[in-house]
C-alpha cells in the first residue's frame, strides 16, 4: 500500500479523496493545528504543520512517504486585499517549495501538484484571472526548476469547476439548493449567464487523482494533465436544468450582478489548443496568413494534455440530483 502525504486534507477535494481511497492508500493528512479534522481522522493519519520547515522535516522523518499529492491552496475569486497576500503566498507557494526541498532528501517517487483553469482566463495560454491564479502559475514555474534537479516525477493536475452534495464552499449549486429550502427567498442577482462552466462531480475528481497516482510512471514530468468533463454548459442552461430536476423555479435575476472582473467565458480546452497549434504549424509550412510560427510555441512551454484513460462517471444530471436531494445546512439546523 502506497504511503501518500496529502496536503489540503481538510478541504473539499482532500477530504473526499481520503474517504473514498483510505483503503487503497495509506494517507498521511498534512493539516494546520487549527484545522477541523473530525471528518477525516478515522480514515488517515494526521500530521500537523505549523508553517515552519522544521515541522515538515519532523513529519518526513516520521513517515516513509512514497509520494505527495499537493491540494492545499488559498483561493480568492476576485480582487485580493492586502490581508490576502500572506495567505496566498504561504499556501500556494511556500508550502510547496518547502515540500520539494525535503523531497530531495527522501525516496518520494512523485509529486502531484494541482493547478486551476483560472490561470488561463479566456485564453489558450497563460492569462491569470486574479492573483490566486498568478501564484498557482508561480509555483508551476518553481516546479519546472525542481524537475531539473530531482529524480522525483513532478506532474500537474488542472481542475475546472468542482461540485458535490457536501460542498460547503458557498458555490452556486449550493446557493441554489438553499434557495429551494427557503419559504420566501430573495431574488439572487446573477451575471448574464452566458459563461460556460466545466462541471465535474467530486467523486470523479478524486478518481482522477487516484488514476494519476496509479499511472504516475506513464506520465511526463512538468506536464499539465486536465480533468476535463463532458459537462460543459452555460450558467443559464445549468439553471434551467437544475429547475427541471428540482421541479421548482429559482428566483434568479440574470444580468443584475455586475463584477469588476469579467467572468471566464469559456474554460481552457486541450482540444482547442491542439487545433490552434495544428493550424499554426500548417500556416508556418505553407506560408499562410493568420498565426505566426511563434504563436504555436506559446503552448509548448507548458505541455498540456488530458489525463490518459480518465473518464468521469457521474453524469451532470445524476450529480445535480445528488446535490438537490441532500439537505442544506440551513435545513439541518432547523
Amino acid at each position: 500500500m502506497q504511503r501518500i502525504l496529502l496536503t489540503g486534507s481538510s478541504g473539499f477535494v482532500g477530504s473526499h479523496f481520503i474517504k473514498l481511497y483510505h483503503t487503497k492508500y495509506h494517507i498521511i493528512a498534512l493539516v494546520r493545528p487549527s484545522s477541523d479534522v473530525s471528518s477525516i481522522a478515522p480514515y488517515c493519519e494526521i500530521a500537523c504543520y505549523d508553517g515552519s520547515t522544521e515541522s515538515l522535516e519532523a513529519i518526513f522523518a516520521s513517515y516513509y512517504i512514497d509520494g505527495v499529492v499537493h491540494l492545499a491552496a488559498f483561493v480568492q475569486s476576485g480582487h485580493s486585499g492586502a490581508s490576502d497576500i500572506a495567505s496566498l503566498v504561504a499556501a500556494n507557494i511556500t508550502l510547496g517549495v518547502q515540500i520539494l526541498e525535503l523531497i530531495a532528501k527522501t525516496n518520494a517517487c512523485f509529486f502531484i501538484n494541482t493547478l486551476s483553469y483560472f490561470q488561463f482566463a479566456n485564453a489558450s495560454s497563460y492569462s491569470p484571472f486574479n492573483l490566486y491564479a498568478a501564484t498557482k502559475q508561480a509555483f508551476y514555474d518553481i516546479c519546472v526548476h525542481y524537475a531539473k534537479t530531482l529524480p522525483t516525477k513532478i506532474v500537474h493536475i488542472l481542475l475546472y469547476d468542482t461540485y458535490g452534495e457536501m460542498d460547503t464552499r458557498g458555490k452556486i449549486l449550493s446557493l441554489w439548493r438553499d434557495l429551494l429550502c427557503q419559504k420566501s427567498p430573495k431574488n439572487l442577482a446573477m451575471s448574464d449567464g452566458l459563461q460556460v462552466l466545466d462541471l465535474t462531480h467530486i467523486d470523479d475528481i478524486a478518481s482522477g487523482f487516484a488514476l494519476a497516482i496509479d499511472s504516475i510512471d506513464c506520465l511526463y514530468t512538468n506536464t499539465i494533465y486536465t480533468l476535463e468533463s463532458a459537462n460543459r454548459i452555460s450558467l443559464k442552461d445549468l439553471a434551467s436544468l437544475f429547475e427541471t430536476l428540482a421541479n421548482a423555479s429559482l428566483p434568479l435575476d440574470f444580468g443584475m450582478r455586475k463584477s469588476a472582473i469579467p467572468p471566464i467565458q469559456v474554460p481552457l480546452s486541450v482540444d482547442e489548443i491542439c487545433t490552434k497549434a495544428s493550424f499554426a504549424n500548417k500556416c508556418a509550412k505553407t506560408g499562410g496568413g493568420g498565426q505566426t510560427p511563434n504563436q504555436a510555441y506559446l503552448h509548448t512551454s507548458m505541455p498540456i494534455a488530458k489525463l490518459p484513460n480518465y473518464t468521469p462517471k457521474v453524469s451532470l444530471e445524476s450529480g445535480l440530483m445528488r446535490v438537490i436531494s441532500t439537505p442544506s445546512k440551513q435545513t439541518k439546523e432547523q
Side-chain angles (χ1 to χ4, degrees), residues 22 24 61 86 93 100 109 139 162-163 185 196 204 254 282 289 302:
H22 67 278
K24 183 179 176 67
I93 299 177
L100 287 171
C109 299
F139 184 64
T162 60
Y163 76 100
V196 174
D204 286 324
F254 281 101
K282 182 179 179 181
M302 296 176 66

Side-chain angles (χ1 to χ4, degrees), residues 270-313:
V270 170
D271 291 338
E272 178 189 356
I273 292 173
C274 291
T275 299
K276 286 185 176 181
S278 176
F279 174 72
N281 289 333
K282 182 179 179 181
C283 289
K285 292 177 182 178
T286 63
Q291 295 176 302
T292 65
N294 286 338
Q295 286 178 299
Y297 296 108
L298 288 174
H299 312 300
T300 59
S301 62
M302 296 176 66
I304 189 166
K306 295 179 182 179
L307 182 65
N309 302 315
Y310 172 71
T311 303
K313 294 181 173 59

Side-chain angles (χ1 to χ4, degrees), residues 67-80:
V68 177
V69 176
H70 185 37
L71 298 174
F74 181 83
V75 182
Q76 42 89 233
S77 56
H79 284 295
S80 60

Side-chain angles (χ1 to χ4, degrees), residues 221-289:
T221 287
N222 283 341
T223 298
I224 299 170
Y225 293 97
T226 68
L227 298 188
E228 296 184 49
S229 75
N231 294 329
R232 293 199 167 189
I233 186 172
S234 73
L235 185 59
K236 260 191 176 179
D237 289 342
L238 179 64
S240 296
L241 178 59
F242 190 97
E243 289 176 323
T244 298
L245 295 173
N247 194 26
S249 296
L250 292 169
L252 307 178
D253 284 336
F254 281 101
M256 295 302 293
R257 184 173 181 271
K258 306 300 180 183
S259 175
I261 303 177
I264 297 175
Q265 294 299 320
V266 180
L268 177 78
S269 166
V270 170
D271 291 338
E272 178 189 356
I273 292 173
C274 291
T275 299
K276 286 185 176 181
S278 176
F279 174 72
N281 289 333
K282 182 179 179 181
C283 289
K285 292 177 182 178
T286 63

